[in-house]
Protein backbone atom coordinates (compact mmCIF):
# COMPACT_ATOMS: atom_id res chain seq x y z
CA UNK A 1 0.00 0.00 0.00
CA UNK A 2 1.43 3.40 -0.97
CA UNK A 3 2.09 6.18 1.55
CA UNK A 4 -0.80 8.12 0.01
CA UNK A 5 -3.18 5.34 1.04
CA UNK A 6 -1.92 4.98 4.61
CA UNK A 7 -4.47 6.41 7.09
CA UNK A 8 -3.29 9.13 9.44
CA UNK A 9 -2.19 8.11 12.92
CA UNK A 10 -4.44 9.79 15.49
CA UNK A 11 -4.47 9.93 19.32
CA UNK A 12 -7.27 8.39 21.36
CA UNK A 13 -10.37 10.47 22.05
CA UNK A 14 -12.03 10.84 25.44
CA UNK A 15 -15.67 9.78 25.33
CA UNK A 16 -18.50 12.02 26.51
CA UNK A 17 -22.13 11.38 27.39
CA UNK A 18 -23.07 12.04 23.78
CA UNK A 19 -21.07 8.98 22.67
CA UNK A 20 -23.11 6.76 24.95
CA UNK A 21 -26.37 8.38 23.91
CA UNK A 22 -25.52 7.74 20.25
CA UNK A 23 -24.50 4.15 21.04
CA UNK A 24 -27.89 3.41 22.63
CA UNK A 25 -29.95 5.62 20.35
CA UNK A 26 -31.40 2.44 18.85
CA UNK A 27 -33.76 2.32 21.85
CA UNK A 28 -35.44 5.55 20.71
CA UNK A 29 -35.40 4.34 17.12
CA UNK A 30 -37.05 1.01 18.01
CA UNK A 31 -39.78 2.33 20.29
CA UNK A 32 -40.47 5.77 18.82
CA UNK A 33 -39.01 6.41 15.38
CA UNK A 34 -39.87 3.12 13.67
CA UNK A 35 -43.53 2.93 14.80
CA UNK A 36 -44.12 6.58 13.87
CA UNK A 37 -42.27 6.07 10.59
CA UNK A 38 -44.42 3.10 9.65
CA UNK A 39 -47.56 5.07 10.50
CA UNK A 40 -46.41 8.03 8.43
CA UNK A 41 -45.47 5.84 5.48
CA UNK A 42 -48.92 4.27 5.59
CA UNK A 43 -50.72 7.62 5.77
CA UNK A 44 -48.59 9.01 2.94
CA UNK A 45 -49.35 5.90 0.91
CA UNK A 46 -53.09 6.40 1.45
CA UNK A 47 -52.72 10.03 0.40
CA UNK A 48 -50.89 8.97 -2.76
CA UNK A 49 -53.57 6.42 -3.59
CA UNK A 50 -56.24 9.09 -3.07
CA UNK A 51 -54.34 11.42 -5.38
CA UNK A 52 -53.98 8.71 -8.03
CA UNK A 53 -57.71 8.00 -7.87
CA UNK A 54 -58.46 11.52 -9.09
CA UNK A 55 -58.67 12.24 -12.78
CA UNK A 56 -55.82 14.15 -14.38
CA UNK A 57 -58.30 16.97 -15.06
CA UNK A 58 -59.15 17.29 -11.37
CA UNK A 59 -55.49 17.20 -10.38
CA UNK A 60 -54.74 19.96 -12.88
CA UNK A 61 -57.61 22.08 -11.55
CA UNK A 62 -56.31 21.72 -7.98
CA UNK A 63 -52.82 22.54 -9.23
CA UNK A 64 -54.00 25.75 -10.89
CA UNK A 65 -55.80 26.81 -7.71
CA UNK A 66 -52.71 26.13 -5.59
CA UNK A 67 -50.51 28.09 -7.99
CA UNK A 68 -52.85 31.08 -7.68
CA UNK A 69 -52.46 30.90 -3.89
CA UNK A 70 -48.66 30.97 -4.22
CA UNK A 71 -48.82 33.94 -6.59
CA UNK A 72 -51.14 35.83 -4.25
CA UNK A 73 -48.93 35.06 -1.27
CA UNK A 74 -45.86 36.45 -3.03
CA UNK A 75 -47.70 39.55 -4.20
CA UNK A 76 -48.97 40.20 -0.67
CA UNK A 77 -45.40 40.24 0.70
CA UNK A 78 -44.13 43.60 1.92
CA UNK A 79 -40.43 43.60 0.98
CA UNK A 80 -39.69 46.34 3.52
CA UNK A 81 -41.22 44.52 6.49
CA UNK A 82 -41.29 40.79 5.73
CA UNK A 83 -38.28 38.48 5.72
CA UNK A 84 -36.85 36.71 2.70
CA UNK A 85 -39.05 34.10 1.06
CA UNK A 86 -38.69 30.38 1.76
CA UNK A 87 -41.05 27.43 1.84
CA UNK A 88 -43.11 26.57 4.91
CA UNK A 89 -41.62 23.08 5.03
CA UNK A 90 -40.19 22.33 8.48
CA UNK A 91 -36.36 22.20 8.61
CA UNK A 92 -36.20 18.62 9.91
CA UNK A 93 -38.29 17.25 7.04
CA UNK A 94 -35.55 17.79 4.45
CA UNK A 95 -33.66 14.61 3.48
CA UNK A 96 -30.03 15.53 4.02
CA UNK A 97 -27.46 16.19 6.74
CA UNK A 98 -27.13 19.92 6.15
CA UNK A 99 -28.78 21.94 8.91
CA UNK A 100 -31.53 24.12 7.50
CA UNK A 101 -30.28 26.97 9.66
CA UNK A 102 -31.45 29.70 7.31
CA UNK A 103 -35.01 29.10 8.50
CA UNK A 104 -34.02 30.11 12.02
CA UNK A 105 -33.85 33.70 10.86
CA UNK A 106 -37.18 35.51 10.39
CA UNK A 107 -38.55 34.65 6.99
CA UNK A 108 -41.66 34.89 4.85
CA UNK A 109 -43.17 31.44 4.36
CA UNK A 110 -44.91 30.22 1.24
CA UNK A 111 -46.73 26.91 1.65
CA UNK A 112 -46.06 24.39 -1.12
CA UNK A 113 -47.39 21.47 0.91
CA UNK A 114 -50.21 20.69 -1.53
CA UNK A 115 -47.90 20.25 -4.52
CA UNK A 116 -47.58 16.46 -4.35
CA UNK A 117 -49.50 15.19 -7.39
CA UNK A 118 -48.50 13.42 -10.57
CA UNK A 119 -50.31 15.74 -13.00
CA UNK A 120 -49.90 13.79 -16.22
CA UNK A 121 -48.18 10.77 -17.75
CA UNK A 122 -48.00 11.36 -21.50
CA UNK A 123 -47.09 8.09 -23.21
CA UNK A 124 -46.90 9.67 -26.66
CA UNK A 125 -44.52 12.46 -25.71
CA UNK A 126 -42.84 10.24 -23.08
CA UNK A 127 -43.15 12.99 -20.47
CA UNK A 128 -44.31 12.94 -16.85
CA UNK A 129 -45.56 16.27 -15.53
CA UNK A 130 -45.30 16.30 -11.76
CA UNK A 131 -45.39 18.66 -8.80
CA UNK A 132 -42.27 19.27 -6.70
CA UNK A 133 -43.21 17.19 -3.63
CA UNK A 134 -43.82 14.03 -5.64
CA UNK A 135 -41.24 11.52 -4.41
CA UNK A 136 -39.45 8.68 -6.17
CA UNK A 137 -41.49 5.93 -4.53
CA UNK A 138 -44.72 7.61 -5.59
CA UNK A 139 -43.80 8.16 -9.22
CA UNK A 140 -42.26 4.72 -9.74
CA UNK A 141 -45.46 3.18 -8.35
CA UNK A 142 -47.40 5.06 -11.03
CA UNK A 143 -45.12 4.50 -14.03
CA UNK A 144 -43.63 1.02 -13.57
CA UNK A 145 -46.93 -0.84 -14.20
CA UNK A 146 -46.97 0.97 -17.57
CA UNK A 147 -43.44 -0.30 -18.30
CA UNK A 148 -42.28 3.30 -18.10
CA UNK A 149 -39.93 5.10 -15.71
CA UNK A 150 -38.14 8.37 -15.25
CA UNK A 151 -34.81 8.27 -17.06
CA UNK A 152 -33.11 8.77 -13.66
CA UNK A 153 -34.88 7.32 -10.58
CA UNK A 154 -33.01 8.25 -7.40
CA UNK A 155 -32.76 5.24 -5.06
CA UNK A 156 -34.40 6.45 -1.85
CA UNK A 157 -38.22 6.56 -1.83
CA UNK A 158 -38.46 9.87 0.07
CA UNK A 159 -36.37 11.95 -2.34
CA UNK A 160 -38.59 14.53 -4.00
CA UNK A 161 -38.62 15.92 -7.53
CA UNK A 162 -38.10 19.46 -6.20
CA UNK A 163 -35.08 18.48 -4.14
CA UNK A 164 -33.51 16.51 -6.96
CA UNK A 165 -33.96 19.41 -9.40
CA UNK A 166 -33.00 22.35 -7.19
CA UNK A 167 -30.27 20.28 -5.59
CA UNK A 168 -28.71 17.08 -6.81
CA UNK A 169 -29.97 13.69 -8.02
CA UNK A 170 -28.18 10.67 -9.44
CA UNK A 171 -28.84 6.99 -10.13
CA UNK A 172 -27.24 4.00 -11.84
CA UNK A 173 -28.54 5.18 -15.23
CA UNK A 174 -26.82 8.57 -14.99
CA UNK A 175 -23.87 7.34 -17.08
CA UNK A 176 -26.35 7.49 -19.98
CA UNK A 177 -28.79 10.28 -19.08
CA UNK A 178 -26.79 12.53 -16.76
CA UNK A 179 -28.01 13.90 -13.44
CA UNK A 180 -31.71 14.12 -12.59
CA UNK A 181 -31.98 17.73 -13.73
CA UNK A 182 -30.58 16.76 -17.16
CA UNK A 183 -33.73 14.73 -17.80
CA UNK A 184 -36.10 17.66 -17.21
CA UNK A 185 -37.69 19.15 -20.32
CA UNK A 186 -39.48 22.13 -18.72
CA UNK A 187 -39.81 23.93 -15.38
CA UNK A 188 -42.84 25.86 -14.20
CA UNK A 189 -41.58 28.59 -11.89
CA UNK A 190 -43.25 31.35 -9.91
CA UNK A 191 -40.81 34.26 -9.93
CA UNK A 192 -40.20 36.82 -7.18
CA UNK A 193 -42.84 39.19 -8.52
CA UNK A 194 -45.51 36.48 -8.70
CA UNK A 195 -45.19 35.79 -12.45
CA UNK A 196 -45.70 32.16 -13.55
CA UNK A 197 -43.28 31.19 -16.32
CA UNK A 198 -42.43 27.98 -18.18
CA UNK A 199 -38.70 27.60 -18.85
CA UNK A 200 -37.35 25.23 -21.52
CA UNK A 201 -34.03 24.80 -23.32
CA UNK A 202 -35.06 26.92 -26.27
CA UNK A 203 -37.70 29.46 -25.19
CA UNK A 204 -37.33 33.01 -23.87
CA UNK A 205 -36.53 31.65 -20.39
CA UNK A 206 -33.73 29.32 -21.53
CA UNK A 207 -31.25 31.11 -19.25
CA UNK A 208 -33.48 30.34 -16.27
CA UNK A 209 -33.80 26.73 -17.46
CA UNK A 210 -30.03 26.22 -17.23
CA UNK A 211 -29.72 28.18 -13.97
CA UNK A 212 -32.35 26.28 -11.95
CA UNK A 213 -30.29 23.09 -11.23
CA UNK A 214 -28.20 23.46 -8.05
CA UNK A 215 -29.89 26.80 -7.25
CA UNK A 216 -31.60 25.43 -4.12
CA UNK A 217 -34.85 27.26 -4.90
CA UNK A 218 -33.24 30.70 -4.78
CA UNK A 219 -34.36 31.87 -8.23
CA UNK A 220 -38.07 31.19 -7.87
CA UNK A 221 -40.56 28.64 -6.58
CA UNK A 222 -40.82 25.44 -8.60
CA UNK A 223 -44.46 24.39 -8.94
CA UNK A 224 -44.22 21.71 -11.67
CA UNK A 225 -41.72 19.97 -13.91
CA UNK A 226 -41.93 17.97 -17.13
CA UNK A 227 -39.54 15.04 -16.92
CA UNK A 228 -38.42 12.58 -19.57
CA UNK A 229 -39.75 9.01 -19.45
CA UNK A 230 -38.09 5.93 -20.92
CA UNK A 231 -39.47 2.48 -21.78
CA UNK A 232 -38.47 -0.27 -19.34
CA UNK A 233 -39.03 -3.99 -18.81
CA UNK A 234 -40.28 -5.91 -15.82
CA UNK A 235 -36.89 -7.10 -14.52
CA UNK A 236 -33.30 -6.01 -14.14
CA UNK A 237 -30.68 -8.59 -15.11
CA UNK A 238 -27.94 -7.76 -12.62
CA UNK A 239 -24.38 -9.06 -12.80
CA UNK A 240 -22.22 -8.84 -9.67
CA UNK A 241 -18.52 -8.53 -10.51
CA UNK A 242 -15.97 -8.89 -7.67
CA UNK A 243 -12.79 -6.85 -8.03
CA UNK A 244 -9.68 -7.19 -5.88
CA UNK A 245 -6.42 -5.25 -5.71
CA UNK A 246 -5.32 -1.82 -4.50
CA UNK A 247 -7.59 1.21 -4.74
CA UNK A 248 -6.33 2.16 -8.20
CA UNK A 249 -7.07 -1.38 -9.41
CA UNK A 250 -10.56 -1.21 -7.92
CA UNK A 251 -11.08 2.12 -9.67
CA UNK A 252 -10.03 0.67 -13.03
CA UNK A 253 -12.28 -2.35 -12.54
CA UNK A 254 -15.15 0.02 -11.89
CA UNK A 255 -14.42 2.05 -15.04
CA UNK A 256 -14.07 -1.09 -17.17
CA UNK A 257 -17.42 -2.41 -15.96
CA UNK A 258 -19.42 0.20 -17.89
CA UNK A 259 -17.06 2.15 -20.19
CA UNK A 260 -15.72 -0.18 -22.91
CA UNK A 261 -12.24 0.79 -24.05
CA UNK A 262 -13.19 0.23 -27.68
CA UNK A 263 -16.12 2.65 -27.37
CA UNK A 264 -18.68 0.01 -28.43
CA UNK A 265 -22.00 1.44 -27.24
CA UNK A 266 -23.66 -1.99 -27.35
CA UNK A 267 -21.51 -3.01 -24.37
CA UNK A 268 -22.75 -0.15 -22.18
CA UNK A 269 -25.19 -1.47 -19.51
CA UNK A 270 -28.46 0.21 -18.58
CA UNK A 271 -27.40 0.53 -14.93
CA UNK A 272 -24.13 0.51 -13.06
CA UNK A 273 -22.87 1.09 -9.54
CA UNK A 274 -19.91 0.03 -7.47
CA UNK A 275 -19.29 -0.59 -3.80
CA UNK A 276 -15.81 -0.51 -2.30
CA UNK A 277 -15.90 -2.51 0.93
CA UNK A 278 -12.28 -2.03 2.04
CA UNK A 279 -8.99 -0.87 0.52
CA UNK A 280 -8.55 -4.10 -1.46
CA UNK A 281 -12.06 -5.37 -2.31
CA UNK A 282 -15.07 -4.09 -4.19
CA UNK A 283 -18.08 -5.32 -6.15
CA UNK A 284 -19.24 -3.70 -9.37
CA UNK A 285 -22.83 -4.25 -10.53
CA UNK A 286 -24.06 -3.83 -14.09
CA UNK A 287 -27.70 -4.22 -15.05
CA UNK A 288 -29.74 -4.49 -18.22
CA UNK A 289 -33.52 -4.48 -18.51
CA UNK A 290 -35.04 -7.93 -19.06
CA UNK A 291 -38.53 -9.14 -19.87
CA UNK A 292 -40.66 -11.28 -17.58
CA UNK A 293 -40.30 -14.16 -20.03
CA UNK A 294 -36.50 -14.02 -19.90
CA UNK A 295 -36.36 -13.73 -16.12
CA UNK A 296 -38.59 -16.78 -15.64
CA UNK A 297 -36.68 -19.07 -17.95
CA UNK A 298 -35.52 -22.29 -16.34
CA UNK A 299 -32.24 -21.88 -14.51
CA UNK A 300 -32.52 -18.12 -13.97
CA UNK A 301 -32.59 -16.87 -10.40
CA UNK A 302 -35.15 -14.23 -9.39
CA UNK A 303 -34.36 -12.24 -6.25
CA UNK A 304 -37.18 -10.13 -4.77
CA UNK A 305 -34.91 -7.77 -2.85
CA UNK A 306 -37.88 -5.64 -1.78
CA UNK A 307 -39.22 -8.21 0.67
CA UNK A 308 -38.84 -7.02 4.27
CA UNK A 309 -36.93 -10.11 5.45
CA UNK A 310 -34.35 -10.10 2.65
CA UNK A 311 -30.68 -9.32 3.43
CA UNK A 312 -29.76 -5.68 3.04
CA UNK A 313 -28.70 -5.07 -0.53
CA UNK A 314 -25.14 -3.92 0.10
CA UNK A 315 -24.49 -7.03 2.20
CA UNK A 316 -26.06 -9.27 -0.44
CA UNK A 317 -23.80 -7.74 -3.10
CA UNK A 318 -20.79 -8.31 -0.87
CA UNK A 319 -21.27 -12.10 -1.11
CA UNK A 320 -19.79 -11.90 -4.62
CA UNK A 321 -16.38 -11.49 -2.98
CA UNK A 322 -16.63 -15.08 -1.71
CA UNK A 323 -18.68 -16.90 -4.33
CA UNK A 324 -17.43 -15.04 -7.38
CA UNK A 325 -19.31 -13.39 -10.22
CA UNK A 326 -23.01 -14.23 -10.45
CA UNK A 327 -26.18 -13.09 -12.20
CA UNK A 328 -29.74 -12.71 -10.95
CA UNK A 329 -32.99 -11.04 -11.95
CA UNK A 330 -34.60 -8.39 -9.73
CA UNK A 331 -38.07 -6.89 -10.31
CA UNK A 332 -37.34 -3.46 -11.78
CA UNK A 333 -39.15 -1.33 -9.21
CA UNK A 334 -37.55 -3.26 -6.36
CA UNK A 335 -34.17 -2.70 -7.98
CA UNK A 336 -34.79 1.05 -8.25
CA UNK A 337 -35.33 1.28 -4.48
CA UNK A 338 -32.79 -1.36 -3.43
CA UNK A 339 -31.03 0.96 -0.95
CA UNK A 340 -34.18 2.35 0.70
CA UNK A 341 -34.68 -0.26 3.43
CA UNK A 342 -31.21 0.11 4.96
CA UNK A 343 -30.53 3.70 3.81
CA UNK A 344 -27.49 2.41 1.91
CA UNK A 345 -25.54 1.18 4.98
CA UNK A 346 -26.45 3.92 7.44
CA UNK A 347 -29.02 1.50 8.87
CA UNK A 348 -26.18 -0.48 10.42
CA UNK A 349 -25.19 2.50 12.57
CA UNK A 350 -28.78 3.41 13.45
CA UNK A 351 -29.70 -0.19 14.36
CA UNK A 352 -26.55 -2.29 14.88
CA UNK A 353 -28.57 -5.53 14.85
CA UNK A 354 -30.97 -4.42 12.10
CA UNK A 355 -29.28 -6.66 9.54
CA UNK A 356 -29.74 -9.82 11.61
CA UNK A 357 -32.25 -12.36 10.29
CA UNK A 358 -34.39 -12.37 13.43
CA UNK A 359 -34.82 -8.59 13.28
CA UNK A 360 -35.44 -8.53 9.55
CA UNK A 361 -38.03 -11.29 9.81
CA UNK A 362 -39.90 -9.84 12.81
CA UNK A 363 -39.46 -6.08 12.31
CA UNK A 364 -38.00 -5.54 8.85
CA UNK A 365 -41.42 -4.41 7.60
CA UNK A 366 -41.03 -1.31 9.81
CA UNK A 367 -37.87 -0.24 7.97
CA UNK A 368 -36.61 2.23 7.05
CA UNK A 369 -36.88 4.89 9.74
CA UNK A 370 -37.88 8.19 8.16
CA UNK A 371 -34.85 10.46 7.93
CA UNK A 372 -37.04 13.40 8.97
CA UNK A 373 -38.00 11.66 12.23
CA UNK A 374 -34.38 10.71 12.92
CA UNK A 375 -33.48 14.37 12.59
CA UNK A 376 -36.47 15.53 14.64
CA UNK A 377 -35.49 13.29 17.58
CA UNK A 378 -31.75 13.93 17.67
CA UNK A 379 -31.49 17.34 19.40
CA UNK A 380 -28.73 19.93 19.07
CA UNK A 381 -25.98 17.95 20.82
CA UNK A 382 -26.55 14.83 18.72
CA UNK A 383 -26.76 16.88 15.55
CA UNK A 384 -23.40 18.52 16.29
CA UNK A 385 -21.92 15.12 17.16
CA UNK A 386 -22.89 13.75 13.75
CA UNK A 387 -21.33 16.77 12.05
CA UNK A 388 -18.06 16.10 13.87
CA UNK A 389 -17.99 12.30 14.05
CA UNK A 390 -19.89 11.21 10.97
CA UNK A 391 -19.52 11.71 7.24
CA UNK A 392 -22.31 11.99 4.69
CA UNK A 393 -20.75 13.50 1.60
CA UNK A 394 -20.79 12.98 -2.15
CA UNK A 395 -17.69 13.88 -4.14
CA UNK A 396 -18.38 14.42 -7.84
CA UNK A 397 -15.08 13.99 -9.66
CA UNK A 398 -13.93 13.36 -13.25
CA UNK A 399 -14.00 9.60 -13.86
CA UNK A 400 -10.28 9.36 -14.57
CA UNK A 401 -9.58 10.71 -11.06
CA UNK A 402 -11.74 8.20 -9.19
CA UNK A 403 -8.70 6.21 -8.01
CA UNK A 404 -7.11 9.35 -6.57
CA UNK A 405 -10.39 10.20 -4.82
CA UNK A 406 -10.58 6.74 -3.25
CA UNK A 407 -7.02 7.04 -1.97
CA UNK A 408 -7.76 10.49 -0.54
CA UNK A 409 -10.89 9.24 1.28
CA UNK A 410 -8.97 6.28 2.69
CA UNK A 411 -6.17 8.46 3.99
CA UNK A 412 -8.21 11.33 5.42
CA UNK A 413 -11.52 9.70 6.43
CA UNK A 414 -11.17 5.92 6.16
CA UNK A 415 -14.88 5.41 5.51
CA UNK A 416 -16.21 2.11 4.13
CA UNK A 417 -18.21 1.03 2.22
CA UNK A 418 -17.87 3.67 -0.50
CA UNK A 419 -20.55 4.03 -3.17
CA UNK A 420 -19.55 4.66 -6.79
CA UNK A 421 -21.99 5.85 -9.43
CA UNK A 422 -20.96 7.41 -12.77
CA UNK A 423 -22.75 10.27 -14.47
CA UNK A 424 -22.40 12.30 -17.62
CA UNK A 425 -21.66 15.98 -17.17
CA UNK A 426 -22.90 17.54 -20.40
CA UNK A 427 -21.31 20.45 -22.21
CA UNK A 428 -24.28 22.82 -22.19
CA UNK A 429 -24.87 25.80 -24.51
CA UNK A 430 -25.05 27.97 -21.39
CA UNK A 431 -22.54 27.24 -18.61
CA UNK A 432 -24.26 26.37 -15.35
CA UNK A 433 -22.95 25.98 -11.81
CA UNK A 434 -21.28 22.66 -12.61
CA UNK A 435 -19.54 22.02 -15.90
CA UNK A 436 -16.98 19.69 -17.56
CA UNK A 437 -13.27 20.39 -17.63
CA UNK A 438 -12.32 22.72 -20.50
CA UNK A 439 -10.97 20.74 -23.46
CA UNK A 440 -12.03 17.33 -22.12
CA UNK A 441 -13.33 16.35 -25.58
CA UNK A 442 -9.78 16.35 -26.98
CA UNK A 443 -8.36 13.97 -24.35
CA UNK A 444 -10.22 10.81 -25.49
CA UNK A 445 -10.42 9.46 -21.97
CA UNK A 446 -12.31 6.28 -21.17
CA UNK A 447 -16.01 7.01 -20.70
CA UNK A 448 -16.00 10.50 -22.24
CA UNK A 449 -18.02 11.43 -25.33
CA UNK A 450 -18.00 14.51 -27.55
CA UNK A 451 -20.94 16.09 -25.70
CA UNK A 452 -20.20 15.01 -22.12
CA UNK A 453 -17.37 14.28 -19.73
CA UNK A 454 -17.88 11.23 -17.56
CA UNK A 455 -17.83 12.05 -13.86
CA UNK A 456 -18.44 9.78 -10.92
CA UNK A 457 -20.07 10.17 -7.55
CA UNK A 458 -17.85 8.93 -4.73
CA UNK A 459 -20.41 8.48 -1.96
CA UNK A 460 -18.88 8.63 1.52
CA UNK A 461 -21.53 7.70 4.11
CA UNK A 462 -20.63 6.26 7.51
CA UNK A 463 -18.64 6.77 10.67
CA UNK A 464 -14.94 7.24 9.85
CA UNK A 465 -12.48 4.54 10.89
CA UNK A 466 -10.87 6.73 13.58
CA UNK A 467 -14.25 7.30 15.24
CA UNK A 468 -15.02 3.57 15.22
CA UNK A 469 -11.61 2.93 16.85
CA UNK A 470 -12.16 5.62 19.50
CA UNK A 471 -9.56 7.99 18.03
CA UNK A 472 -9.75 11.75 17.58
CA UNK A 473 -11.39 12.97 14.39
CA UNK A 474 -12.13 16.54 13.36
CA UNK A 475 -15.11 16.31 11.00
CA UNK A 476 -15.07 20.00 10.11
CA UNK A 477 -11.39 19.94 9.20
CA UNK A 478 -11.87 16.75 7.15
CA UNK A 479 -14.67 18.40 5.17
CA UNK A 480 -12.52 21.51 4.60
CA UNK A 481 -9.72 19.31 3.24
CA UNK A 482 -12.20 17.45 1.03
CA UNK A 483 -13.58 20.69 -0.38
CA UNK A 484 -10.04 21.95 -1.07
CA UNK A 485 -9.23 18.69 -2.85
CA UNK A 486 -12.40 18.95 -4.94
CA UNK A 487 -11.63 22.53 -6.00
CA UNK A 488 -8.09 21.53 -7.02
CA UNK A 489 -9.39 18.54 -9.03
CA UNK A 490 -12.39 20.15 -10.74
CA UNK A 491 -14.80 18.33 -8.47
CA UNK A 492 -18.11 19.38 -6.94
CA UNK A 493 -19.83 18.92 -3.59
CA UNK A 494 -23.65 18.56 -3.58
CA UNK A 495 -25.18 21.26 -1.43
CA UNK A 496 -27.42 18.96 0.62
CA UNK A 497 -24.32 18.07 2.64
CA UNK A 498 -22.56 19.91 5.44
CA UNK A 499 -20.22 22.50 3.93
CA UNK A 500 -17.34 24.46 5.41
CA UNK A 501 -16.78 26.64 2.34
CA UNK A 502 -16.46 30.40 2.70
CA UNK A 503 -18.11 32.48 -0.02
CA UNK A 504 -14.94 32.96 -2.06
CA UNK A 505 -14.18 29.23 -2.07
CA UNK A 506 -17.81 28.38 -2.84
CA UNK A 507 -17.63 30.35 -6.07
CA UNK A 508 -14.25 28.81 -6.89
CA UNK A 509 -15.93 25.41 -6.83
CA UNK A 510 -19.10 26.49 -8.65
CA UNK A 511 -19.58 28.80 -11.62
CA UNK A 512 -21.82 31.65 -10.47
CA UNK A 513 -21.95 33.74 -13.64
CA UNK A 514 -25.28 32.51 -15.05
CA UNK A 515 -26.79 32.17 -11.57
CA UNK A 516 -26.01 35.77 -10.63
CA UNK A 517 -27.26 37.05 -13.98
CA UNK A 518 -30.59 35.30 -13.43
CA UNK A 519 -30.76 36.55 -9.83
CA UNK A 520 -30.60 40.10 -11.18
CA UNK A 521 -32.74 39.61 -14.28
CA UNK A 522 -35.61 37.88 -12.45
CA UNK A 523 -35.42 40.11 -9.36
CA UNK A 524 -34.63 37.22 -7.00
CA UNK A 525 -32.22 39.39 -5.04
CA UNK A 526 -34.02 40.85 -2.07
CA UNK A 527 -36.71 38.15 -2.27
CA UNK A 528 -34.85 34.82 -2.10
CA UNK A 529 -31.69 34.10 -0.14
CA UNK A 530 -28.56 33.46 -2.22
CA UNK A 531 -27.55 29.85 -2.76
CA UNK A 532 -24.30 30.31 -0.87
CA UNK A 533 -25.98 31.82 2.16
CA UNK A 534 -28.66 29.15 2.07
CA UNK A 535 -25.99 26.42 2.05
CA UNK A 536 -23.74 28.13 4.59
CA UNK A 537 -23.20 26.23 7.82
CA UNK A 538 -24.34 27.74 11.10
CA UNK A 539 -27.18 29.82 12.50
CA UNK A 540 -28.27 32.94 10.64
CA UNK A 541 -29.79 35.91 12.38
CA UNK A 542 -32.24 38.15 10.55
CA UNK A 543 -29.65 40.95 10.65
CA UNK A 544 -27.00 38.77 8.95
CA UNK A 545 -29.42 37.62 6.28
CA UNK A 546 -30.66 41.11 5.49
CA UNK A 547 -27.16 42.61 5.40
CA UNK A 548 -25.91 39.90 3.05
CA UNK A 549 -28.86 40.28 0.70
CA UNK A 550 -28.72 44.07 0.83
CA UNK A 551 -25.10 43.94 -0.32
CA UNK A 552 -26.15 41.80 -3.28
CA UNK A 553 -29.10 44.07 -3.93
CA UNK A 554 -27.05 47.25 -4.04
CA UNK A 555 -24.39 45.68 -6.27
CA UNK A 556 -26.92 44.19 -8.67
CA UNK A 557 -29.04 47.29 -9.16
CA UNK A 558 -26.01 49.58 -9.34
CA UNK A 559 -24.75 47.46 -12.23
CA UNK A 560 -28.19 47.56 -13.86
CA UNK A 561 -28.38 51.39 -13.83
Amino acid sequence: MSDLQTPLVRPKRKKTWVDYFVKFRWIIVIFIVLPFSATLYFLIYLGDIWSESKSFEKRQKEHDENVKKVIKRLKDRDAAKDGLVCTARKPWIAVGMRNVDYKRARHFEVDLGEFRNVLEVNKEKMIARVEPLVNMGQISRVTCPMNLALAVVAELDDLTVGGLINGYGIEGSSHIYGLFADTVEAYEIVLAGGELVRATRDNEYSDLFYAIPWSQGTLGLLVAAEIRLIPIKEYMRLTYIPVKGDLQALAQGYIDSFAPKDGDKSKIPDFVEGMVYNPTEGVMMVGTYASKEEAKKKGNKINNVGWWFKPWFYQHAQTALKKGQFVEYIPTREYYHRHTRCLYWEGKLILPFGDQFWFRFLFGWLMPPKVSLLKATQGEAIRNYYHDMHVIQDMLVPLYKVGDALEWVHREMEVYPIWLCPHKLFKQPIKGQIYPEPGFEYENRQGDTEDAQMFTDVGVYYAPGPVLRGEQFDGSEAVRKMEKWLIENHGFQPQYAVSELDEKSFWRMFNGELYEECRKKYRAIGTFMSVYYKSKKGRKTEKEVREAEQAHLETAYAEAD
Side-chain angles (χ1 to χ4, degrees), residues 265-422:
K265 292 183 179 180
S266 66
K267 297 177 182 177
I268 299 175
D270 296 321
F271 276 79
V272 61
E273 70 176 328
M275 295 183 204
V276 178
Y277 291 95
N278 57 57
T280 60
E281 295 180 317
V283 175
M284 312 307 155
M285 286 146 282
V286 293
T288 55
Y289 287 112
S291 66
K292 185 191 305 182
E293 292 73 23
E294 178 186 340
K296 294 189 175 181
K297 283 182 180 178
K298 186 177 180 181
N300 289 342
K301 180 184 177 182
I302 293 177
N303 183 7
N304 294 92
V305 299
W307 285 100
W308 76 92
F309 54 83
K310 286 282 188 172
W312 289 355
F313 184 77
Y314 83 96
Q315 293 179 340
H316 170 65
Q318 192 174 9
T319 62
L321 293 172
K322 289 186 177 180
K323 63 183 184 182
Q325 182 171 318
F326 66 95
V327 177
E328 63 185 13
Y329 291 80
I330 300 174
T332 296
R333 186 168 184 267
E334 294 183 24
Y335 174 77
Y336 285 156
H337 303 295
R338 62 200 178 279
H339 292 301
T340 291
R341 196 154 42 93
C342 56
L343 301 174
Y344 287 90
W345 28 89
E346 285 288 316
K348 183 66 175 173
L349 280 178
I350 298 166
L351 289 170
F353 45 79
D355 58 343
Q356 301 298 307
F357 177 77
W358 66 267
F359 181 88
R360 287 188 278 111
F361 186 78
L362 294 176
F363 304 108
W365 58 276
L366 290 170
M367 295 289 284
K370 282 191 77 68
V371 174
S372 57
L373 289 181
L374 289 172
K375 291 169 69 175
T377 56
Q378 67 186 10
E380 192 77 16
I382 305 301
R383 184 175 72 162
N384 292 334
Y385 175 92
Y386 281 127
H387 281 187
D388 293 334
M389 302 295 170
H390 196 87
V391 177
I392 295 185
Q393 295 283 347
D394 287 274
M395 303 168 64
L396 308 190
V397 301
L399 181 63
Y400 71 94
K401 294 186 177 182
V402 63
D404 296 340
L406 290 175
E407 290 182 336
W408 187 92
V409 171
H410 178 72
R411 183 174 186 276
E412 297 291 342
M413 295 180 173
E414 205 180 343
V415 171
Y416 292 98
I418 297 173
W419 187 62
L420 300 176
C421 185

Side-chain angles (χ1 to χ4, degrees), residues 119-147:
L119 298 174
E120 182 184 11
V121 176
N122 191 317
K123 297 180 183 179
E124 293 182 1
K125 294 182 179 180
M126 293 296 282
I127 292 291
R129 183 166 172 263
V130 300
E131 294 180 318
L133 290 185
V134 169
N135 64 36
M136 293 297 99
Q138 180 182 357
I139 197 164
S140 65
R141 186 170 56 247
V142 171
T143 60
C144 283
M146 305 176 189
N147 277 355

Side-chain angles (χ1 to χ4, degrees), residues 236-275:
M236 187 66 65
R237 183 185 187 274
L238 197 64
T239 303
Y240 300 79
I241 307 168
V243 180
K244 298 185 180 182
D246 62 19
L247 289 170
Q248 291 290 348
L250 298 184
Q252 190 58 51
Y254 163 64
I255 295 171
D256 291 341
S257 71
F258 70 93
K261 292 180 179 179
D262 60 6
D264 186 352
K265 292 183 179 180
S266 66
K267 297 177 182 177
I268 299 175
D270 296 321
F271 276 79
V272 61
E273 70 176 328
M275 295 183 204

